[in-house]
Amino acid sequence: MPVKPVPLGFVFRSRAKEEKAPTADKAQVTLSKQTRDPQAPKGRPTPKRSEAQSQRRSVAQTPTNRKDAVRRQREDRREAMARQRQALASGDERYLPARDKGPVRKFARAWVDSRFNVAEFFLPLAVVILVLSVVRVPSIQNIALLLWLVVIVLIVLDAAVSGFRLRKRLKERFPDQNTRGAVAYALMRSLQMRRLRLPKPQVKRGERP
């Protein structure tokens, strides 16, 4: 029988090509399977543009080293202090210091600011008394000493009456809340002149809080 010649390409063809070919075909099939239809659902809602921008901004502002972290903390502290100063001037409850927050402290401030307090005139009276005591006249110095005693007695009496009345009002207004420290807080505020008080007064004199 005549023998058919065998092609040399079949005998000497590279096995590496044969092994790579199925791998490439499998990779193409896998990639084609992994390609997602643009109209298919993604399994999660698409974030809004504002949310995406805020996320990118937060990632961009994340400190990468200790120096950046310290600088970021300093900036945050400065912003918090600025908000706190603005809140002390406007009475915004969100950014007030912890000692001034809450409806109980707000009512105590309003109660003090709505009335005249003897203690708030202590500084002006003290200046007058000191000037009188410097004068080297025995009678004037005796008047200055008497004024000291009168002012101190009036402040003590006014503080006692104010504390009693405010404690009673707090029990009536906030029967289920903790009012501890509110009376002392109000009395300390009454020692300050009205224009120097912080947070700034939000009620007028004579106005019922």
Side-chain angles (χ1 to χ4, degrees), residues 78-91:
R78 190 182 299 112
E79 292 177 359
M81 292 298 294
R83 288 195 298 265
Q84 190 177 103
R85 286 193 297 269
Q86 186 176 0
L88 289 172
S90 62

Side-chain angles (χ1 to χ4, degrees), residues 124-200:
L125 290 174
V127 173
V128 174
I129 293 172
L130 286 175
V131 171
L132 292 176
S133 62
V134 171
V135 179
R136 295 182 178 277
V137 178
S139 59
I140 295 179
Q141 291 180 348
N142 292 333
I143 293 174
L145 181 59
L146 182 61
L147 285 176
W148 269 121
L149 295 176
V150 171
V151 169
I152 292 174
V153 170
L154 289 177
I155 290 175
V156 172
L157 290 176
D158 184 62
V161 174
S162 298
F164 176 79
R165 293 177 58 189
L166 177 58
R167 188 176 290 107
K168 184 178 179 181
R169 289 292 306 278
L170 288 173
K171 288 182 179 180
E172 295 174 354
R173 189 74 173 265
F174 307 98
D176 300 328
Q177 296 190 29
N178 183 15
T179 59
R180 184 178 180 181
V183 175
Y185 171 78
L187 294 179
M188 290 298 296
R189 184 177 178 85
S190 67
L191 291 172
Q192 303 171 349
M193 299 179 66
R194 182 181 173 86
R195 66 179 60 185
L196 300 179
R197 293 172 184 171
L198 291 175
K200 293 290 186 182

Side-chain angles (χ1 to χ4, degrees), residues 42 44-56:
K42 294 183 293 184
R44 59 182 178 83
T46 303
K48 297 180 180 179
R49 178 173 297 180
S50 59
E51 295 177 356
Q53 290 178 352
S54 62
Q55 291 177 359
R56 288 196 297 269

Side-chain angles (χ1 to χ4, degrees), residues 103-121:
V104 175
R105 298 299 175 95
K106 183 178 181 179
F107 178 82
R109 290 196 305 270
W111 192 86
V112 170
D113 297 335
S114 64
R115 60 191 299 271
F116 286 94
N117 304 277
V118 179
E120 66 181 290
F121 302 105

Side-chain angles (χ1 to χ4, degrees), residues 43-95:
R44 59 182 178 83
T46 303
K48 297 180 180 179
R49 178 173 297 180
S50 59
E51 295 177 356
Q53 290 178 352
S54 62
Q55 291 177 359
R56 288 196 297 269
R57 193 180 302 111
S58 62
V59 172
Q61 293 179 354
T62 302
T64 56
N65 52 42
R66 182 180 178 84
K67 185 177 180 180
D68 292 341
V70 172
R71 180 171 54 81
R72 180 67 179 275
Q73 291 178 357
R74 192 182 301 112
E75 292 177 355
D76 293 343
R77 194 180 305 112
R78 190 182 299 112
E79 292 177 359
M81 292 298 294
R83 288 195 298 265
Q84 190 177 103
R85 286 193 297 269
Q86 186 176 0
L88 289 172
S90 62
D92 191 349
E93 286 281 338
R94 294 176 298 172
Y95 305 113

